[in-house]
Amino acid sequence: MSATVTTTEIAGDDADRAELSVRLAALDRLTQIGAARTGPDGFTEELVREAGEVLARAGQRLKLSSNHTVVSLAGGTGSGKSSLFNQLAGAEFSTVGVTRPVTRDAHACVWGMAGAGPLLDWLGVPPRHRYPRASALSTAERSLMGLVLLDLPDHDSVLGEATDVVDNLVGLSDLMVWVLDPQKYADNAVHSRFLVPLAGHSEVIAVVLNQCDLLAPTEVEECATDLRRLLDSENLREVQILVTSAKTGEGVEELRKLLAQAVTARRAAAARISADVDKLIAAFEPFGVRMPSGGGNPDREGGGAVRLGHAADSALVSGTEIQLGAALAEAAGARAIGDSLRSARQLRAADYVGWPVSWMVERFTSPDRARKVKLGALWQQLSDITAGPSGAQQAEIDNALSWVADNQVPPLPPPWSRTVREALRSRVEEIPALIGAEIGASLPRGTGVDRWWRLVGILQGLLLGCVLVGCGWLVALLVLGVGKVDPGVPKLFADPWLLPWPAALIVVSLAGGWFTARTSKRSVEAAAERESAELLDEVHRRLTAVAHDLIVRPAETELAELSVFRQELLIAAGGEPQE
Amino acid sequence: MTEGQDVAARPASERGNGRDALGSGRLLADSDFGHAIDANPGMEHEAVPGSASAEPSPTYSYAPVPEQEFSSPGPHDEAEAPIARVDARRLESALLKLRHPIVTVPLLLEAPRVAEARAERVKLLSQIDDYLLPRLRQSGAPILVALVGSTGAGKSTLMNTIVGKEVSATGVLRPTTNSPVLASHPDDMRWFAENVFLPTMPRVRQQGLAMPGRDGLLVLAATEGMPRGVAILDTPDIDSVVEAHHDFAHQFLDASDLWLFVTTARRYADAAVWKTLKDARDRGAALAVALSRVPDESAAELQTHFDAMLDANGLGDVARFLVPETVVKDAMLPTEVVEPVKAWLTDTARQEDRRMAVLTQTMSGVLDTFRSRVPGLADLVNEQLTVRRELQMAVEDAFTAGLEQVVEATRSGSLLQGEVLARWQDFAGAGDLLRGMQVRRNRDNRAKKVNEPAASMTVPSRASALREAVQVGLESLVIAAAAKAAEDVVASWQRQQAGASLLRDLDAAARRVVAGEDFVATALADLGITDAAGPPADRRDSAALARPTGGLAAAAAAEISGWQEHVRELVQTDNVTKRSVARVVSFDADSLALVLTIGLLAPKAKDEDATEDASAAPQQLLASLFGAGLLRSMGTRVRRDLRQRVKGLFLAEARRYFDVIDSAGVPDEGAGTALLQAGYALQEAR
């Protein structure tokens, strides 16, 4: 801040700059968000690069002398830029010539050279083309203190490199004065290349219709009106038009006043950057619009502002992860694993709680043909196949993800619909292994043999023992008692009247064994059923967590980025963040 | 450059010989001249330097004399005998033959350079229709001089001064001239009637003073002020903000015989000026340049600089004039200022050699450019075919990859996971498999066939669950592969300009359809053609194209169960089990088919340690049941059948992409060649 400016100006200036730096910071974050998501459907490389350039330019310009205002005189060949430059500078600094093109390099005239060096270096004006205008300050000149006036090369001449210089310096100037002349004011070269893209920069553009001495006064009027119409049609309604003649000096005083205003206000630099930011915000805006749920046109309010409020599209449809968990369980064959676990349980339990007698009967009545074709080993092997973690079908996972992408993602503006889809799939490779691990963890541990099975097994053994004892007794009674083989035998084994007892013992034991096996099997079945259901629940629970971690969370992180993007868009547009 | 500053307008060196001034020596051999002008058989003159300039021109008539076709080539003395001429009719018919392939050239896809190709086609056609054909048919028509130049160069003022009357509106507003004005002698006006000159251009005859015409209207101004045999056309600018003017101007430029390029002291170094001048040079058209609004005090300096620039750009030999900046009065310059220009124009019209030189140079120049431009257009056409092929390849590649993905998944064992594996474990572990193996042993072999339907009903539930799991697994695989292929196709199209444009068109069409759908559906329902409650047709936009069709799931289900049925039949009809095994046991076909399926889906055991793996069991079982050789041949057949079925599904899926490509139009594969041949034929005919 120079000591010559009043306090109110400082305050205004500071407020401007503070607001601008907030907006620039927001633009920076927008650019970062965009740079991570470049693609042809949004955030083009070009846009991101342009944003980066504007940010870099703005950062440098704000760092450099805020006491100077850079004003460039730009225009076509022969429009009289250099003559006007010399008029304003009050000396023949820039060569004026009849043959074209004359000005090949930019020239700078500086009112108040102190501190302008780095700024001029940044602008790329070579020292030999810098002209200080510090001495002999009249009152009029003092009002221009801090002005850096640039005379640009012709933008439309056959010298291509000059056009690049113009492009560059037009980008760097705080205030642009376009010098047109009656012959060329409607040239496509200046309008389509420079003025139309600067449509948002009305505040920092002035248009000068030079060489008015060549026309009659009425023609000047006509010409200026037509130029006004042309600029209006290009959305440059705010732009001021000055009619000047470098030859006669007409209108030069007004131009000087305009420059003096810009210099004393010290707002041009900030205004220029602000206009650049506005332009970028407009380019970023379509990527933050809210889509109506029914498809169709993006939902906008007047002035292109993004409507905020409802957060319908910042999350996936609720319940997605539960449905996804179910889909993953399906892909992993959870139900089949449950069924197979149940079968295994029942088979295993049959070894303990089954009634050996009925097994032997079965074995006896239907002989194992497999053994005869030497498939016994295989039998064993197949019997050993038990329930275990089985991985998951990649294809079914893919289909589940497609389903989420198509049905559970809220309607989004172009680049986000793609990036959210990508985020959904970002960890798809990890899913099958994790599903396998989770199912493995859900499976019951241990041998799977319950204690009561053993007790029942012992009982069955006892019952079987009883049957055998009964049989032995029966045989003994028949042999010893009925046959009266040896009288020395105890009566217990020799009394034929005792025959019903062993018979009863056999019958009761057989019936008991059969009944025990039957009821035990029922219980085992019920337990296996319960276990299988628990397994299924557990698998669902775990896989829902997997779906949340690997699928839903990345997508919602991406959606959260979109919310951040929208917030930053509001801040960068100069509004207040909501929520 | 010897004349001084006092010369207001300075024809360079054309006083001696017009042809030099026109620089035709650079462009033409004398024989070319003969070819180009042959349409006017009444003309006996040859444009040989020094030979014909003094002869008065005969009356021109348009009546080709057929005998000329047979006139033998003259000796070296071209001034005496007509040189080998080609009948104008031959050239005309060659042009017409070239015109047809140009018109029908297929530029259907938005290939990277299609805009260029379309512009080139329009330009070629406009040169043929607006210049070459009319010139060939009536070589006696006045020389048409087009005033070309930047906005504000003073073209209209120059024209008014030459004519001596305000025929074209002038002013300070830019662009001034919105509608072109053609001025000629009243006697010559008939040449510019609708049926001969620029037939598509609406025109109006000027009554009285110049008034601003409507855009796109050609104003005809008949005035005694014009010399006979030459007409001047004031064209809209080539560089103002009104871009519509540029194309408009170029159409007129293509139709004229001679360009008088007007630029000013202030803008002669503009890039736009030199772009146009280079165009003119490349076109080979006859050209003259006027530098106007030159301040007197700097005339010499400007002249030198401008001359140097012309020389540097290969335009050192064009005629040039200097028009000083003076006071414009009544939309005209002082007459003496443009006198040299007018004299030069009159001379060009009157002196037959000059006239011939101009016509020859321009026509030959245009035909010369065809030498490279027609093959250029043919290249662009071939590029179209390449792009079309690329789009098709993208579809083919994506679906071939999808098919490979399916086949690979059935080989690598990745299908034997999840549900399928769990069901297999259940099926095998629970002993159902072995039970199935034994179930029919107790029955009489002869009764087997009879009992078949009943047997399939007794298939244990675990077997049917496994069968279903295999079916669902394969379906998912097919659908996932198709979904990926669909997405890949759309992504790959999006990357290509032509593909992206096709998708855009499709989306636009889909939006229109959605708008009209309700109406159509109601109408059809009213007519009883469709059921109003019927399912909505597949939406055909890019989002839908990136997904598999709605009918795929059903079709895949049908194909996969068809395949399973095929495996079952194979197992059942081919008495496949090893005889040693078959004597002892028999299987029900369902279980055997399942085992075979699982055996196929399981990965090939890489080493012996893997035998513990659950997946190895079915293979061992199969090997011991069928024998390795039979198993292999059966496996191959089953795999081939699956591949065929999936391929059929994918072909049906891919069809809609080919339909989309064809919706842009099916190009004629030979179009490029036809164009090239017609181009050669044209050059032959010259």
Side-chain angles (χ1 to χ4, degrees):
Chain A
M1 288 300 120
S2 153
T4 54
V5 282
T6 64
T7 45
T8 50
E9 275 171 336
I10 290 173
D13 197 14
D14 275 350
D16 270 0
R17 291 203 171 217
E19 193 207 322
L20 188 59
S21 62
V22 169
R23 296 184 62 199
L24 283 171
L27 179 64
D28 189 23
R29 288 188 293 272
L30 287 179
T31 311
Q32 280 169 11
I33 291 174
R37 288 162 186 80
T38 54
D41 54 351
F43 299 126
T44 54
E45 304 263 350
E46 199 183 343
L47 175 61
V48 171
R49 202 185 53 239
E50 199 186 319
E53 278 168 12
V54 165
L55 283 169
R57 211 157 63 202
Q60 283 159 349
R61 179 65 190 93
L62 289 180
K63 237 181 279 167
L64 292 164
S65 170
S66 63
N67 293 333
H68 287 92
T69 302
V70 181
V71 178
S72 57
L73 293 178
T77 69
S79 58
K81 291 181 302 295
S82 298
S83 309
L84 210 53
F85 179 80
N86 290 344
Q87 271 275 351
L88 289 167
E92 294 288 311
F93 287 137
S94 197
T95 349
V96 177
V98 282
T99 59
R100 308 274 145 227
V102 181
T103 315
R104 285 156 194 263
D105 302 301
H107 294 247
C109 183
V110 186
W111 280 261
M113 192 55 119
L119 184 62
L120 288 165
D121 288 344
W122 178 64
L123 291 169
V125 179
R128 67 197 150 90
H129 287 149
R130 300 174 187 175
Y131 313 107
R133 190 83 182 92
S135 55
L137 289 178
S138 66
T139 338
E141 292 292 300
R142 195 173 295 133
S143 66
L144 290 177
M145 271 303 285
L147 172 66
V148 177
L149 189 65
L150 295 178
D151 181 20
L152 301 191
D154 310 319
H155 63 78
D156 60 352
S157 82
V158 281
L159 300 168
E161 73 270 31
T163 315
D164 297 339
V165 175
V166 176
D167 270 344
N168 184 31
L169 284 176
V170 162
L172 299 179
S173 309
D174 300 333
L175 181 69
M176 288 160 277
V177 177
W178 287 94
V179 183
L180 306 178
D181 66 290
Q183 206 186 107
K184 301 176 79 169
Y185 75 85
D187 269 20
N188 203 24
V190 60
H191 285 274
S192 65
R193 171 110 191 242
F194 293 102
L195 289 176
V196 172
L198 288 171
H201 290 62
S202 292
E203 206 188 332
V204 290
I205 293 180
V207 171
V208 166
L209 186 62
N210 197 22
Q211 300 178 348
C212 67
D213 53 299
L214 293 179
L215 300 177
T218 52
E219 288 174 332
V220 171
E221 188 71 22
E222 210 179 330
C223 210
T225 314
D226 194 48
L227 179 56
R228 177 82 267 163
R229 178 194 59 75
L230 201 54
L231 291 176
D232 287 354
S233 75
E234 287 162 348
N235 239 337
L236 289 163
R237 285 186 191 79
E238 320 281 306
V239 170
Q240 202 177 342
I241 297 180
L242 294 175
V243 178
T244 63
S245 164
K247 210 173 192 172
T248 63
E250 192 187 332
V252 174
E253 210 38 59
E254 276 90 66
L255 179 58
R256 198 188 292 273
K257 256 182 218 151
L258 180 95
L259 298 184
Q261 268 169 23
V263 169
T264 43
R266 288 166 198 282
R267 294 193 64 250
R272 158 75 208 230
I273 294 168
S274 191
D276 284 345
V277 174
D278 283 344
K279 191 177 164 193
L280 283 169
I281 297 304
F284 274 125
E285 215 158 54
F287 310 136
V289 291
R290 289 181 189 278
M291 310 292 282
S293 43
N297 290 324
D299 177 13
R300 273 163 177 259
E301 274 182 354
V306 184
R307 187 190 288 173
L308 272 159
H310 49 96
D313 62 349
S314 57
L316 297 184
V317 175
S318 62
T320 299
E321 52 196 48
I322 294 175
Q323 282 174 286
L324 252 183
L328 292 186
E330 193 73 23
R335 229 154 12 91
I337 291 170
D339 286 356
S340 137
L341 182 75
R342 199 175 54 196
S343 307
R345 263 298 146 86
Q346 286 167 5
L347 285 173
R348 186 105 201 214
D351 290 349
Y352 291 88
V353 304
W355 183 225
V357 178
S358 46
W359 178 74
M360 275 188 292
V361 168
E362 193 178 298
R363 175 87 187 260
F364 183 73
T365 53
S366 72
D368 183 3
R369 305 280 171 174
R371 291 193 196 284
K372 293 194 179 166
V373 284
K374 300 193 178 89
L375 293 177
L378 204 61
W379 169 282
Q380 199 53 47
Q381 204 179 348
L382 286 175
S383 303
D384 286 346
I385 295 176
T386 48
S390 52
Q393 295 275 343
Q394 185 68 52
E396 289 184 28
I397 297 172
D398 289 348
N399 290 340
L401 289 179
S402 299
W403 169 79
V404 175
D406 292 345
N407 300 306
Q408 305 297 100
V409 177
L412 296 170
W416 299 96
S417 49
R418 169 177 58 89
T419 56
V420 168
R421 218 180 162 86
E422 283 168 5
L424 278 172
R425 297 196 177 160
S426 56
R427 301 180 68 185
V428 70
E429 261 94 54
E430 303 169 39
I431 294 175
L434 203 55
I435 286 180
E438 291 293 342
I439 287 181
S442 324
L443 286 173
R445 313 233 161 259
T447 55
V449 179
D450 284 357
R451 193 168 295 160
W452 68 270
W453 292 7
R454 294 187 199 280
L455 292 176
V456 172
I458 292 167
L459 176 64
Q460 298 281 42
L462 287 174
L463 285 173
L464 190 60
C466 287
V467 170
L468 292 176
V469 167
C471 284
W473 194 7
L474 193 69
V475 169
L477 278 180
L478 284 175
V479 173
L480 301 178
V482 178
K484 299 194 180 350
V485 179
D486 189 353
V489 184
K491 197 186 173 190
L492 188 63
F493 299 110
D495 186 356
W497 295 106
L498 287 173
L499 263 179
W501 290 107
L505 180 66
I506 291 170
V507 168
V508 166
S509 300
L510 280 175
W514 178 80
F515 182 75
T516 311
R518 198 180 150 84
T519 46
S520 303
K521 263 188 188 159
R522 284 253 174 84
S523 308
V524 167
E525 254 166 49
E529 196 72 48
R530 204 169 48 243
E531 193 180 41
S532 159
E534 276 166 12
L535 172 77
L536 219 55
D537 282 352
E538 175 75 3
V539 166
H540 271 267
R541 199 177 55 71
R542 283 173 182 266
L543 292 189
T544 302
V546 168
H548 178 256
D549 289 350
L550 296 192
I551 302 170
V552 174
R553 190 184 291 158
E556 295 200 324
T557 310
E558 188 65 20
L559 286 170
E561 278 288 87
L562 172 58
S563 297
V564 173
F565 183 81
R566 285 176 174 149
Q567 290 290 331
E568 298 292 351
L569 207 53
L570 273 182
I571 299 170
E576 288 299 313
Q578 302 210 349
E579 290 162 51
Chain B
M1 314 300 141
T2 52
E3 297 182 29
Q5 210 171 310
D6 55 321
V7 179
R10 182 183 50 80
S13 55
E14 107 276 19
R15 293 286 183 215
N17 186 323
R19 301 205 58 218
D20 291 347
L22 291 158
S24 54
R26 160 173 73 90
L27 292 154
L28 289 181
D30 287 338
S31 55
D32 288 339
F33 169 52
H35 297 169
I37 300 305
D38 194 48
N40 184 358
M43 234 158 34
E44 299 286 275
H45 310 281
E46 297 302 327
V48 178
S51 68
S53 58
E55 293 183 31
S57 69
T59 52
Y60 307 123
S61 63
Y62 178 58
V65 182
E67 282 84 353
Q68 285 206 329
E69 269 186 80
F70 308 109
S71 65
S72 56
H76 298 293
D77 189 357
E78 288 168 337
E80 295 296 317
I83 55 152
R85 289 185 170 184
V86 181
D87 190 351
R89 286 189 162 173
R90 207 180 133 194
L91 192 55
E92 188 185 328
S93 86
L95 270 174
L96 286 172
K97 276 187 192 130
L98 174 63
R99 192 179 180 278
H100 179 71
I102 293 179
V103 171
T104 57
V105 129
L107 298 173
L108 308 163
L109 296 168
E110 295 296 322
R113 293 198 293 159
V114 74
E116 186 188 326
R118 287 192 181 129
E120 180 69 2
R121 168 166 70 180
V122 169
K123 201 160 167 60
L124 281 172
L125 284 179
S126 102
Q127 285 177 348
I128 292 175
D129 291 349
D130 298 342
Y131 180 69
L132 290 172
L133 287 177
R135 238 332 139 194
L136 279 174
R137 285 172 181 157
Q138 39 193 348
S139 59
I143 285 188
L144 183 59
V145 181
L147 286 172
V148 194
S150 326
T151 167
K155 297 183 292 296
S156 298
T157 312
L158 188 64
M159 175 156 172
N160 288 341
T161 318
I162 292 170
V163 174
K165 185 176 147 196
E166 187 177 352
V167 288
S168 187
T170 60
V172 292
L173 302 188
R174 307 280 169 248
T176 322
T177 305
N178 294 318
S179 53
V181 180
L182 189 146
S184 77
H185 194 271
D187 293 352
D188 287 334
M189 209 35 117
R190 64 194 164 89
W191 295 107
F192 302 107
E194 277 88 347
N195 55 346
V196 277
F197 176 73
L198 291 178
T200 55
M201 183 73 60
R203 64 206 69 198
V204 58
R205 279 174 200 278
Q206 196 173 60
Q207 313 282 339
L209 265 185
M211 50 190 165
R214 283 215 325 278
D215 268 21
L217 216 57
L218 171 64
V219 180
L220 295 179
T223 162
E224 303 281 345
M226 286 296 296
R228 282 191 179 82
V230 64
I232 300 185
L233 181 66
D234 184 20
T235 62
D237 60 273
I238 47 161
D239 57 0
S240 85
V241 279
V242 187
E243 287 181 18
H245 280 182
H246 308 176
D247 300 335
F248 196 47
H250 279 290
Q251 194 185 357
F252 283 100
L253 296 182
D254 282 339
S256 2
D257 297 307
L258 172 62
W259 288 12
L260 180 54
F261 190 91
V262 186
T263 185
T264 66
R266 196 160 285 145
R267 44 160 88 242
Y268 71 87
D270 279 14
V273 166
W274 292 96
K275 187 174 165 291
T276 312
L277 279 173
K278 281 172 191 158
D279 277 355
R281 184 190 67 195
D282 296 339
R283 180 182 177 235
L287 179 70
V289 179
L291 183 62
S292 77
R293 304 181 79 160
V294 181
D296 273 344
E297 63 274 15
S298 47
E301 195 184 342
L302 280 172
Q303 192 180 320
T304 319
H305 186 232
F306 187 48
D307 284 346
M309 282 181 86
L310 282 173
D311 287 342
N313 283 286
L315 289 160
D317 46 10
V318 299
R320 28 195 115 147
F321 305 95
L322 212 67
V323 181
E325 176 129 46
T326 51
V327 181
V328 175
K329 194 179 159 208
D330 295 339
M332 277 184 258
L333 301 164
T335 326
E336 65 273 12
V337 169
V338 297
E339 200 49 57
V341 181
K342 191 169 181 179
W344 178 78
L345 284 178
T346 316
D347 279 1
T348 307
R350 295 249 169 85
Q351 294 179 21
E352 193 50 34
D353 61 324
R354 289 268 307 280
R355 181 188 153 79
M356 289 284 93
V358 166
L359 295 183
T360 307
Q361 178 177 355
T362 305
M363 179 162 287
S364 257
V366 172
L367 287 175
D368 279 344
T369 65
F370 278 31
R371 222 189 278 272
S372 60
R373 282 163 65 201
V374 171
L377 187 62
D379 281 352
L380 292 173
V381 169
N382 289 332
E383 198 173 281
Q384 284 274 316
L385 296 176
T386 315
V387 166
R388 181 181 156 84
R389 191 74 211 118
E390 277 170 7
L391 289 177
Q392 289 171 336
M393 283 302 288
V395 179
E396 280 168 30
D397 287 352
F399 280 95
T400 309
L403 182 59
E404 287 314 314
Q405 188 190 334
V406 171
V407 169
E408 179 56 28
T410 59
R411 262 180 214 288
S412 68
S414 71
L415 198 64
L416 196 60
Q417 276 187 333
E419 173 112 26
V420 178
L421 181 57
R423 291 286 172 206
W424 162 247
Q425 287 166 345
D426 193 22
F427 175 65
D432 280 6
L433 169 60
L434 295 162
R435 232 164 278 147
M437 182 165 107
Q438 294 174 322
V439 79
R440 211 88 32 90
R441 191 57 219 161
N442 295 334
R443 294 181 190 172
D444 194 48
N445 264 340
R446 273 158 299 192
K448 192 175 171 183
K449 294 277 186 251
V450 183
N451 288 339
E452 205 56 55
S456 70
M457 293 176 73
T458 62
V459 169
S461 64
R462 291 196 179 96
S464 63
L466 174 58
R467 186 186 155 106
E468 193 150 309
V470 169
Q471 159 126 21
V472 169
L474 275 171
E475 266 172 53
S476 301
L477 184 63
V478 167
I479 290 172
K484 182 167 186 308
E487 216 173 300
D488 285 354
V489 169
V490 171
S492 129
W493 280 13
Q494 289 284 16
R495 279 194 296 276
Q496 286 183 40
Q497 201 178 332
S501 143
L502 277 180
L503 293 174
R504 266 199 307 281
D505 292 352
L506 205 61
D507 286 345
R511 274 195 290 280
R512 282 198 299 278
V513 168
V514 168
E517 206 160 56
D518 294 337
F519 172 74
V520 173
T522 323
L524 287 177
D526 286 350
L527 291 169
I529 294 172
T530 55
D531 184 8
D538 266 354
R539 282 191 61 189
R540 306 209 12 150
D541 56 7
S542 60
L545 268 193
R547 286 171 210 160
T549 53
L552 178 66
E559 285 296 329
I560 300 298
S561 52
W563 176 70
Q564 284 186 317
E565 199 54 39
H566 173 79
V567 176
R568 190 171 171 278
E569 274 166 23
L570 206 65
V571 170
Q572 197 177 322
T573 52
D574 292 16
N575 200 2
V576 284
T577 38
K578 264 199 259 179
R579 199 164 297 159
S580 61
V581 178
R583 243 185 292 119
V584 193
V585 289
S586 84
F587 286 90
D588 69 315
D590 288 293
S591 301
L592 202 53
L594 279 174
V595 174
L596 181 61
T597 309
I598 296 294
L600 283 174
L601 296 180
K604 295 273 173 290
K606 290 264 159 37
D607 50 286
E608 301 309 312
D609 302 340
T611 48
E612 295 299 312
D613 191 14
S615 56
Q619 286 185 341
Q620 289 176 1
L621 177 64
L622 287 168
S624 48
L625 287 178
F626 303 132
L630 187 58
L631 180 62
R632 208 173 302 127
S633 84
M634 203 150 65
T636 316
R637 276 160 73 189
V638 170
R639 274 185 203 288
R640 197 187 302 133
D641 184 61
L642 180 63
R643 193 191 167 94
Q644 282 304 328
R645 286 170 191 270
V646 176
K647 194 172 178 183
L649 284 173
F650 282 4
L651 278 180
E653 281 289 295
R655 189 162 302 129
R656 57 190 176 138
Y657 300 98
F658 295 122
D659 288 348
V660 169
I661 298 176
D662 287 347
S663 72
V666 183
D668 172 12
E669 299 274 334
T673 323
L675 200 56
L676 275 180
Q677 279 167 351
Y680 290 136
L682 174 69
Q683 297 299 338
E684 285 290 304
R686 287 175 68 187

